[in-house]
Amino acid sequence: MSKEDHINMTGKVIQVLPNARFKVKLNDNGHTLLAYVGGKMRKFEIKIIQVEISPYDLTQGRIIRRN
């Protein structure tokens, strides 16, 4: 498994936390994780998202697209 391999899943923001972090519940399996967002996406309201998760740490992810 290479460093660039990630798991892409969709989820819904259930709680907004400080420092542009969100608590996200995944649609596929109901797992809850902590996700961060960077760049210009900080300006927008985010509800349903696509999350990129590292296979090594399934408790954290990065928001890559908002729907």
Side-chain angles (χ1 to χ4, degrees):
M1 186 172 289
S2 71
K3 186 177 179 180
E4 291 81 25
D5 289 339
H6 297 287
I7 303 165
N8 291 331
M9 301 185 105
T10 58
K12 184 175 182 180
V13 173
I14 57 173
Q15 186 179 5
V16 179
L17 303 171
N19 259 355
R21 290 190 170 261
F22 300 91
K23 193 172 277 194
V24 176
K25 185 173 183 180
L26 299 177
N27 292 339
D28 296 338
N29 56 9
H31 183 72
T32 304
L33 59 95
L34 191 66
Y36 69 91
V37 62
K40 290 193 173 199
M41 283 183 41
R42 287 185 181 197
K43 292 194 260 182
F44 304 110
E45 183 178 332
I46 300 172
K47 291 181 181 172
I48 299 174
I49 55 172
Q50 187 173 3
V51 181
E52 187 175 77
I53 306 166
S54 170
Y56 300 110
D57 186 10
L58 299 176
T59 62
Q60 296 184 353
R62 178 175 49 191
I63 297 172
I64 57 173
R65 184 179 302 151
R66 62 187 175 86
N67 296 337

